[in-house]
């Protein structure tokens, strides 16, 4: 009789443990942990940077308005082809985003990358950041891909908003050429406008 009770108890405990384990696995699968930080690589070797790369203006993958929270000290490393300097930007407003195979904006609160070396920005500056697609992932080519702005009514921000809302129709930028000249981007703007005009003639 004692043996029967022991065996029954063992089976009961084993079944209870298996059921609990199964519940725990299901719980873990149904509530995946999502980081509050979007990490983006730096394509430092790209020959162009900024909001208008490519002859006709490459499609944006992720563009947002943010506030710089912190910038690390530069890391000099002879094994690297560039000087890494990590920074954190609080994502204030997303202007456009595309879900990619290896990365997707999922309402993360912060943006992190290591392209801050020799960028003329500091903590609490408001910036407009442009990211592109590279190998199914977000990337930022640095340089002019981060523009410092004054506030939410900055003419540059309004110009970018119109450009995005038009489906990146460069003709929307024609009246803003002088404005972009102040950022050293006059030639790039003229190039994407010319490309759009040529396509319209085809």
């Amino acid at each position: 009789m004692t043996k029967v009770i022991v065996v029954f108890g063992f089976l009961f405990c084993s079944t209870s443990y298996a059921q609990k384990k199964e519940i725990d696995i299901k719980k873990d699968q149904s509530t995946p942990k999502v980081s509050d930080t979007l990490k983006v690589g730096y394509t430092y070797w790209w020959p162009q940077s900024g909001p208008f790369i490519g002859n006709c203006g490459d499609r944006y993958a992720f563009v947002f308005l943010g506030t710089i929270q912190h910038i690390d000290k530069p890391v000099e490393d002879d094994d690297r082809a560039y000087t890494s300097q990590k920074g954190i930007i609080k994502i204030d407003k997303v202007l456009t985003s595309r879900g990619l195979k290896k990365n997707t904006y999922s309402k993360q609160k912060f943006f992190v990358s290591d392209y801050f070396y020799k960028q003329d920005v500091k903590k609490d500056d408001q910036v407009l950041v442009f990211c592109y697609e590279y190998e199914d992932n977000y990337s930022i080519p640095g340089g002019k891909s981060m523009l410092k702005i004054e506030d939410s009514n900055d003419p540059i921000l309004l110009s970018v908003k119109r450009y995005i809302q038009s489906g990146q129709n460069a003709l929307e930028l024609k009246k803003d050429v002088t404005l972009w000249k102040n950022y050293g981007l006059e030639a790039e703007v003229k190039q994407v406008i010319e490309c759009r005009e040529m396509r319209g003639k085809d």
Side-chain angles (χ1 to χ4, degrees), residues 38-152:
L38 183 68
K39 297 178 182 179
V40 173
Y42 174 25
T43 44
Y44 63 89
W45 62 90
W46 283 14
Q48 290 182 299
S49 67
F52 313 111
I53 69 173
N55 289 333
C56 298
D58 287 0
R59 188 182 175 200
Y60 299 141
F62 184 54
V63 180
F64 72 96
L65 179 64
T67 305
I68 294 179
Q69 302 295 294
H70 174 78
I71 301 176
D72 287 349
K73 291 182 179 179
V75 177
E76 302 257 351
D77 188 343
D78 293 337
D79 292 332
R80 287 194 175 190
Y82 73 99
T83 300
S84 171
Q85 187 169 11
K86 187 176 177 180
I88 302 172
I89 304 175
K90 179 177 174 290
I91 299 172
D92 296 325
K93 185 175 182 179
V94 174
L95 302 187
T96 187
S97 67
R98 287 193 287 124
L100 306 179
K101 288 182 180 179
K102 296 181 182 178
N103 210 347
T104 297
Y105 170 70
S106 302
K107 296 186 178 180
Q108 290 93 332
K109 296 178 181 178
F110 301 98
F111 171 97
V112 171
S113 192
D114 64 346
Y115 70 97
F116 282 77
Y117 185 61
K118 289 188 176 180
Q119 297 291 312
D120 184 24
V121 292
K122 62 184 184 302
K123 186 178 182 297
D124 295 328
D125 279 349
Q126 276 195 295
V127 290
L128 189 55
V129 181
F130 300 86
C131 300
Y132 297 89
E133 180 178 354
Y134 176 70
E135 294 186 344
D136 299 322
N137 211 333
Y138 294 136
S139 75
I140 182 166
K144 298 172 182 177
S145 295
M146 179 173 66
L147 303 177
K148 187 162 56 176
I149 65 168
E150 294 298 324
D151 52 44
S152 58

Side-chain angles (χ1 to χ4, degrees), residues 48 51-60 132 163 167-171 173 187-200 202:
Q48 290 182 299
F52 313 111
I53 69 173
N55 289 333
C56 298
D58 287 0
R59 188 182 175 200
Y60 299 141
Y132 297 89
Y163 181 52
Q168 288 187 230
N169 181 350
L171 299 182
L173 300 168
E188 288 87 341
V189 171
K190 286 182 175 179
Q191 171 59 45
V192 295
I193 291 173
E194 181 180 347
C195 178
R196 180 68 188 209
E197 289 175 336
M198 290 298 292
R199 282 182 171 182
D202 293 339

